[in-house]
Amino acid sequence: MMALALQWQLQLQLQLPLPLQARPPPLAAARRRQRGLLTPARRAPPLRARCCAGDAAAADAEKAQAAARRAYPYDEIEPRWQRHWEEHRTFRTPDIGEGLDTSKPKCYILDMFPYPSGAGLHVGHPLGYTATDILSRFKRMKGFNVLHPMGWDAFGLPAEQYAIETGTHPKITTERNIERFRTQLKSLGFSYDWDREISTTEPAYYKWTQWIFLQLLKRGLAYQAEVPVNWCPALGTVLANEEVVDGVSERGGYPVIRKPMRQWMLRITSYADRLLEDLNDLDWPESIKEMQRNWIGRSKGAELVFSAVDKEGQDLGATLLVYTTRPDTIFGATYLVVAPEHVLLSSLISEQQRTHVEEYRELAARKSELERTDLQKEKTGVFSGSYAQNPATGEIIPIWVADYVLGSYGTGAIMAVPAHDSRDHEFAVKYELPIIKVVSPPNGSCDPAEAYADDGIMINSSSTSSGLDINGMLSQDAAKKVIAWVESNGFGKKKVNYKLRDWLFARQRYWGEPFPVSYLDDTNEMVPLSEDELPLTLPELDDFTPTGTGEPPLTKATNWVRTTDPLSGKPARRETSTMPQWAGSCWYYLRFMDPKNSSILVDKAKERYWGPVDIYVGGAEHSVLHLLYARFWHKVLYDMGVVSTKEPFKCLINQGLILGEVEYTAYRDSEGRWVSADSDSSLIDFYQEKVPADKVTKVGDHYVLRDDPNVRLNARAYKMSKSRGNVINPDDVVSEYGADSLRLYEMFMGPLRDSKTWSTGGIEGVHRFLGRTWRLIVGPPLPDGSYNDGTMTTEDEPTLDQLRILHKCIAKVTEEINETRFNTAISAMMEFVNAAYKWETQPKSVTESFVLLLSPFAPHLAEELWFRLGHPQSLAYEQFPEAKSEYLEESKLVLPVQINGKTRGTILVDKSCSEDDAFQIAASDEKLSKYLAGKGIRKRIYVPGRILNVILDQQKAKA
């Protein structure tokens, strides 16, 4: 009676209905049944039964059948516990000075800032979020103070474009999108501290983004310059390189051109060496670190001076600076190449070539830098009409214009050595330019039709007129001699160069952070806003359309643009460009540490405790730009004393993609006959046809038509996208199987870092596992689909075997969570449940430990089971089970048995087995007994745990 009273009291505390009620199958299930994706066992009742909806008995029967089809009542459990967590603020992390015990270790676990689009989440998004949630729940239970926040990177072009298309203010759509994302994330049971939620669009947040910009400005790290940019006339804005694909905007597919514009720049190149060197200390994937090294692109070489001349060698009064990493190959330079945007090009063009060069420059302006540097594309160029003199040879060589050279890299000009550079070689072959070999491979052999780009021995590399001779020298030694020669003769100098360019930090958009600067009308002097005037908020604007002139939309807010300089009292105008979307995401991890602080960016004590981020999880697509920009800002803040660490993110994990379900494609000829995918004919000539999964079967490693196994199909999974129609909405999955099933399946699909293919059959499997776990502990459903209160556990002491199975599971799950191998941790729990079903009783102490193991993965189910086991409090801060070594050691071992020194078999014995016991087991073994029966034993050699050797008496054996 006392137990029942306690159970009733606990039910009232958590508002748990008694008994648990069933519900009809969700609409998602009905839609899936219409597509034939559910097995017959899960199909809806026949139409005849449904037609009797007015009959209460039939309705009750249908409801009971629906409840019985569910693996467990997730649809009641999950909303209830989500309400409980929200009402009790279960996952709130208190501030320092508000109850946070700073003597405990900390763990800051962060997801990459999501952009809240109108489409909401698809099932690929929760992959990383589930991983960080498992780690957060695990670390809390291991005694850590955990910081696990969520917020929104909500400024940017998509919201502005939607505003232009619909006339809806970006703020309205952004708030609506955030609400949708927040609701979806909460429905998945993620343990975020929602009290720390932030959005980059809130003035209280971007006040500090503007403050950081002012600090960059004070230190000379922010400046304005006229630079070539990706200008999209249709969007009316500058685009970053990554926003341009094949010469058009990634969003909308509008043409993009390159044109010079005055822009705000950030001097990230000042931190190039530190950004490069500090990579070595980071616990990041090596591939990501290598991508950043390549992006920074530090190289050592020389800057050489070539004098511009006409065809007869007459000086034109101009010099071209050329950067090269291979000064040893100067004798092989047979022409120069300048970028189409080179500042001196206009003065180098001859009148005969002017029309051709201008046409080429216009074509090049339509390409992005990524397109121009594509190694696979055909090289193009045009002769400038001018020449240069090679300082080493004295030869007159032509100057060409080609878009594979960038004005933003090096000096915007190169010396072309076609014998030893593949791009130069391809260009020289196409335009019939001289190719002179100056480096010989050490072994003397190379393909004469290809460029040899490695080091070697110098040949054809001497000149009496210049006095430079490097013939016979090794490449590295020759390079040093050339650098010394050009420095002593005024032809150049030693130079360290970087691919990294300064960060273009302005966009001609409305929906972004305003720059806190203005310009005096009379002098055009730039005046920064005083820090105590921050934030400078965006004005309300009804017309977000591009001006068509290159002027940003903010110029339309005339009352906002016109201002007065508070110091001089002079009239001024505000900056009308806005910061790029990257700005707010550069430092958001710091604001999560102290989100409500209105006086400073982050409290020093809080930053010292929480920083740096211990585990940062997100997609590899952000591995260069976002991470590089964030590292740059962090290092500036470190130099200012705002932060105490050199790096923002200690450990980086890139989760893989979740691809859509496998699509099967068949081919037909013009007469409608099937054509096998392994046909010798070109499949391009045939019609493609998608084949439903139920008409496909697998034979070996291939997929074929079920009705005609001779017809092989193409099977491929694609990235989820609305255009392919293969997006899986997590709302539908949660409705059909529950949030815990979705979480568990995404972790069970394979290693976190690998790409994986979605499969409906797979999620049904983990859903059945959770149902088996529920029934193991709670018991089978009653006829009406509900369940008894409480559990099937007993107060019995667990057996030794049960403890060994439990602690083996604890050890495995703990190890696999620490190594982020969540799929194998789930496998270990599945093995435990399989074993537990064979037990005659379910000891409560064992069950409780298993429920705690399960809780990071399936928190709703675990909370419900924990409650039913008699615990009134959430298990979120319960101690995670510890594996005890005495239960991990095997009590038995396999002992080899020898007869006269020859191994004849093995026996299973206890580790503490004595010699006599081991001999008796061997003598009773069916295989070994035939060697021992009736034989005299001269002696026995027994090494405990290693071997038993029985030496027979040979004389008695002969008798």
Side-chain angles (χ1 to χ4, degrees):
M1 290 296 292
M2 288 292 291
L4 285 173
L6 175 62
Q7 185 72 15
W8 179 257
Q9 184 181 5
L10 295 178
Q11 296 280 7
L12 290 177
Q13 287 175 0
L14 284 180
Q15 300 179 347
L16 301 179
L18 283 171
L20 297 173
Q21 300 299 315
R23 66 156 193 172
L27 293 176
R31 290 196 296 270
R32 294 175 61 79
R33 282 194 289 275
Q34 290 170 5
R35 299 197 298 267
L37 296 177
L38 295 185
T39 60
R42 293 181 60 85
R43 292 188 183 277
L47 180 61
R48 183 179 301 170
R50 295 201 304 271
C51 288
C52 303
D55 186 337
D60 290 343
E62 182 176 346
K63 188 175 180 180
Q65 289 177 24
R69 282 195 299 272
R70 294 175 305 168
Y72 68 102
Y74 60 86
D75 52 318
E76 298 163 5
I77 294 170
E78 292 178 355
R80 181 163 60 245
W81 284 103
Q82 288 164 18
R83 287 194 303 270
H84 174 81
W85 294 331
E86 186 157 1
E87 290 168 5
H88 291 78
R89 300 165 77 191
T90 302
F91 306 112
R92 177 181 177 272
T93 302
D95 267 331
I96 292 176
E98 295 182 0
L100 185 72
D101 182 1
T102 55
S103 66
K104 295 169 62 175
K106 66 92 180 179
C107 192
Y108 185 177
I109 301 174
L110 185 62
D111 298 294
M112 284 190 183
F113 229 16
Y115 180 83
S117 70
L121 299 174
H122 64 62
V123 293
H125 292 118
L127 179 65
Y129 303 156
T130 303
T132 57
D133 194 60
I134 290 171
L135 292 170
S136 298
R137 290 175 178 273
F138 174 71
K139 288 293 186 180
R140 287 190 197 97
M141 298 173 76
K142 296 293 281 186
F144 285 75
N145 288 329
V146 173
L147 184 60
H148 187 41
M150 175 52 69
W152 319 105
D153 186 15
F155 272 133
L157 185 59
E160 184 157 334
Q161 279 304 109
Y162 186 81
I164 292 171
E165 294 165 5
T166 65
T168 308
H169 197 286
K171 182 177 182 181
I172 296 173
T173 57
T174 298
E175 290 175 350
R176 186 166 60 217
N177 295 344
I178 287 174
E179 177 61 31
R180 174 162 169 73
F181 263 60
R182 187 191 299 113
T183 300
Q184 288 184 298
L185 292 176
K186 287 185 177 182
S187 76
L188 294 170
F190 296 135
S191 60
Y192 294 122
D193 179 359
W194 289 105
D195 285 5
R196 293 175 182 263
E197 181 183 5
I198 57 176
S199 169
T200 56
T201 63
E202 293 299 324
Y205 179 85
Y206 67 72
K207 166 186 177 179
W208 297 106
T209 309
Q210 293 172 337
W211 181 85
I212 295 173
F213 174 80
L214 291 178
Q215 311 316 306
L216 294 167
L217 192 61
K218 289 178 185 177
R219 286 160 176 75
L221 296 172
Y223 65 97
Q224 287 183 303
E226 189 161 294
V227 293
V229 298
N230 299 314
W231 171 252
C232 179
L235 296 177
T237 188
V238 170
L239 300 177
N241 285 333
E242 65 278 1
E243 296 172 318
V244 181
V245 180
D246 297 330
V248 298
S249 61
E250 184 180 36
R251 181 173 180 84
Y254 302 112
V256 176
I257 61 173
R258 297 279 290 176
K259 78 171 190 176
M261 291 182 68
R262 190 162 184 79
Q263 298 286 298
W264 279 104
M265 308 288 293
L266 297 188
R267 213 178 299 275
I268 190 174
T269 50
S270 297
Y271 282 74
D273 285 329
R274 288 168 63 181
L275 290 168
L276 191 63
E277 292 161 6
D278 291 346
L279 282 171
N280 299 327
D281 300 327
L282 296 176
D283 181 14
W284 288 16
E286 193 55 41
S287 60
I288 302 301
K289 292 198 282 189
E290 192 59 28
M291 288 174 69
Q292 289 214 356
R293 292 187 186 106
N294 292 336
W295 191 267
I296 296 168
R298 187 178 192 272
S299 61
K300 295 180 180 180
E303 200 170 67
L304 307 180
V305 177
F306 285 75
S307 297
V309 297
D310 61 17
K311 191 173 184 179
E312 286 72 36
Q314 296 297 314
D315 195 339
L316 296 178
T319 57
L320 284 172
L321 285 179
V322 168
Y323 175 75
T324 177
T325 59
R326 293 293 301 271
D328 56 308
T329 64
I330 190 171
F331 284 93
T334 59
Y335 62 99
L336 298 187
V337 181
V338 297
E341 59 273 14
H342 196 287
V343 292
L344 293 180
L345 180 55
S346 296
S347 62
L348 296 174
I349 305 171
S350 68
E351 287 305 316
Q352 297 90 337
Q353 290 295 109
R354 187 167 299 278
T355 301
H356 302 299
V357 174
E358 292 300 338
E359 288 177 352
Y360 186 80
R361 293 177 79 173
E362 185 178 342
L363 290 172
R366 300 175 186 172
K367 300 178 182 179
S368 70
E369 290 189 359
L370 294 177
E371 287 180 274
R372 287 171 55 178
T373 56
D374 184 359
L375 296 178
Q376 305 304 317
K377 81 176 187 69
E378 183 182 1
K379 305 297 180 290
T380 62
V382 62
F383 177 46
S384 71
S386 296
Y387 298 83
Q389 186 173 39
N390 187 324
T393 65
E395 297 288 333
I396 304 301
I397 59 177
I399 301 174
W400 281 69
V401 184
D403 64 5
Y404 75 87
V405 176
L406 303 177
S408 60
Y409 177 66
T411 63
I414 65 165
M415 68 175 198
V417 185
H420 304 291
D421 182 276
S422 58
R423 295 185 308 168
D424 297 343
H425 186 274
E426 182 183 341
F427 191 89
V429 169
K430 179 175 180 178
Y431 293 104
E432 299 181 351
L433 297 166
I435 300 174
I436 300 175
K437 182 179 178 182
V438 295
V439 182
S440 177
N443 59 10
S445 63
C446 66
D447 187 347
E450 300 289 338
Y452 175 72
D454 293 333
D455 290 345
I457 301 170
M458 305 310 301
I459 59 174
N460 302 322
S461 298
S462 68
S463 170
T464 54
S465 61
S466 67
L468 179 62
D469 182 0
I470 54 175
N471 270 333
M473 298 181 70
L474 296 175
S475 296
Q476 293 181 349
D477 296 332
K480 294 175 182 177
K481 186 172 181 179
V482 170
I483 291 172
W485 179 81
V486 298
E487 287 184 333
S488 63
N489 289 276
F491 293 133
K493 61 182 179 180
K494 186 177 182 179
K495 180 79 172 178
V496 175
N497 202 37
Y498 301 88
K499 289 183 182 177
L500 181 67
R501 300 292 90 199
D502 279 347
W503 178 6
L504 196 157
F505 195 69
R507 298 290 186 270
Q508 283 62 52
R509 301 174 185 162
Y510 166 72
W511 194 235
E513 298 93 335
F515 283 96
V517 299
S518 59
Y519 305 90
L520 299 180
D521 284 354
D522 55 354
T523 63
N524 206 36
E525 178 189 354
M526 188 273 295
V527 180
L529 202 66
S530 172
E531 291 179 13
D532 58 15
E533 295 181 83
L534 299 178
L536 173 61
T537 57
L538 272 177
E540 291 295 327
L541 200 62
D542 296 326
D543 182 9
F544 317 103
T545 56
T547 59
T549 63
E551 290 292 321
L554 271 178
T555 56
K556 300 176 182 180
T558 53
N559 291 335
W560 180 85
V561 173
R562 302 307 309 167
T563 186
T564 302
D565 175 38
L567 292 179
S568 65
K570 294 180 178 180
R573 66 190 185 282
R574 299 193 194 279
E575 170 67 70
T576 53
S577 292
T578 53
M579 300 185 199
Q581 185 176 346
W582 303 103
S585 62
C586 277
W587 69 280
Y588 73 102
Y589 59 94
L590 293 173
R591 195 59 177 172
F592 279 136
M593 301 176 187
D594 195 10
K596 303 296 191 295
N597 199 325
S598 59
S599 57
I600 56 176
L601 185 145
V602 60
D603 178 79
K604 287 184 179 295
K606 295 175 183 178
E607 186 278 329
R608 280 195 301 270
Y609 180 74
W610 287 115
V613 174
D614 295 284
I615 301 172
Y616 195 33
V617 177
E621 66 271 18
H622 302 297
S623 57
V624 173
L625 296 181
H626 159 61
L627 290 174
L628 202 61
Y629 295 157
R631 293 181 63 219
F632 165 47
W633 277 32
H634 190 89
K635 289 181 182 302
V636 174
L637 294 173
Y638 175 76
D639 292 346
M640 293 170 55
V642 175
V643 298
S644 59
T645 62
K646 292 183 179 180
E647 289 287 335
F649 313 118
K650 183 178 179 181
C651 172
L652 175 69
I653 298 174
N654 295 129
Q655 83 273 16
L657 292 173
I658 292 185
L659 306 174
E661 295 207 54
V662 174
E663 298 178 13
Y664 304 98
T665 306
Y667 300 88
R668 292 184 188 269
D669 62 18
S670 57
E671 297 182 6
R673 293 172 297 199
W674 293 115
V675 178
S676 184
D678 58 350
S679 170
D680 293 335
S681 304
S682 173
L683 296 176
I684 299 175
D685 300 328
F686 301 115
Y687 301 102
Q688 294 186 18
E689 181 177 318
K690 282 189 177 181
V691 180
D694 59 354
K695 296 185 181 299
V696 176
T697 189
K698 191 173 185 181
V699 176
D701 294 332
H702 308 292
Y703 293 91
V704 298
L705 284 175
R706 185 180 298 278
D707 296 336
D708 189 350
N710 293 320
V711 180
R712 185 183 295 185
L713 309 176
N714 276 341
R716 180 181 170 186
Y718 296 87
K719 184 178 179 180
M720 289 188 184
S721 67
K722 288 189 290 185
S723 60
R724 289 202 69 86
N726 63 347
V727 173
I728 306 291
N729 189 331
D731 296 347
D732 290 341
V733 179
V734 170
S735 176
E736 186 78 16
Y737 300 103
D740 284 343
S741 293
L742 175 60
R743 293 167 57 108
L744 208 66
Y745 175 57
E746 296 211 353
M747 295 297 98
F748 191 58
M749 292 170 74
L752 175 64
R753 295 163 178 81
D754 293 356
S755 292
K756 299 161 277 285
T757 302
W758 180 268
S759 168
T760 301
I763 195 168
E764 288 175 346
V766 296
H767 186 62
R768 287 194 296 270
F769 160 68
L770 292 177
R772 293 188 73 225
T773 303
W774 170 262
R775 293 189 298 276
L776 173 71
I777 299 172
V778 175
L782 300 174
D784 65 352
S786 64
Y787 291 85
N788 283 319
D789 306 331
T791 67
M792 302 285 287
T793 58
T794 68
E795 299 294 336
D796 296 346
E797 285 295 319
T799 66
L800 185 59
D801 184 57
Q802 289 172 332
L803 289 172
R804 283 174 178 154
I805 291 172
L806 170 65
H807 284 270
K808 181 181 177 181
C809 183
I810 294 172
K812 183 67 172 176
V813 171
T814 303
E815 178 186 358
E816 301 305 80
I817 291 178
N818 280 320
E819 297 299 324
T820 65
R821 295 189 293 256
F822 304 121
N823 55 322
T824 46
I826 296 169
S827 295
M829 290 187 284
M830 289 178 171
E831 291 175 8
F832 173 88
V833 170
N834 288 339
Y837 261 97
K838 299 174 185 176
W839 300 343
E840 292 184 2
T841 62
Q842 303 294 331
K844 183 179 179 182
S845 60
V846 172
T847 301
E848 287 179 331
S849 294
F850 176 73
V851 168
L852 294 175
L853 287 182
L854 181 65
S855 64
F857 298 84
H860 306 89
L861 175 61
E863 289 274 25
E864 179 72 14
L865 294 174
W866 189 250
F867 172 79
R868 285 172 171 264
L869 287 164
H871 301 282
Q873 301 297 327
S874 167
L875 53 66
Y877 296 92
E878 291 293 327
Q879 184 177 349
F880 200 79
E882 296 281 348
K884 295 183 178 179
S885 58
E886 60 264 33
Y887 298 122
L888 298 178
E889 298 178 5
E890 295 292 339
S891 60
K892 294 183 179 295
L893 56 84
V894 177
L895 185 73
V897 177
Q898 293 182 344
I899 308 295
N900 290 336
K902 187 173 183 178
T903 302
R904 295 295 187 179
T906 59
I907 57 176
L908 189 66
V909 300
D910 290 330
K911 279 190 173 182
S912 58
C913 184
S914 66
E915 178 182 331
D916 287 339
D917 289 340
F919 179 76
Q920 291 301 323
I921 294 171
S924 60
D925 182 84
E926 182 178 354
K927 182 178 178 181
L928 296 170
S929 60
K930 64 182 180 182
Y931 297 103
L932 300 173
K935 306 289 175 58
I937 307 299
R938 187 166 50 159
K939 67 174 179 177
R940 298 189 308 228
I941 302 171
Y942 179 61
V943 181
R946 299 285 298 277
I947 197 167
L948 170 65
N949 187 7
V950 180
I951 308 299
L952 301 178
D953 189 325
Q954 297 299 318
Q955 291 181 348
K956 290 184 179 180
K958 288 179 182 178

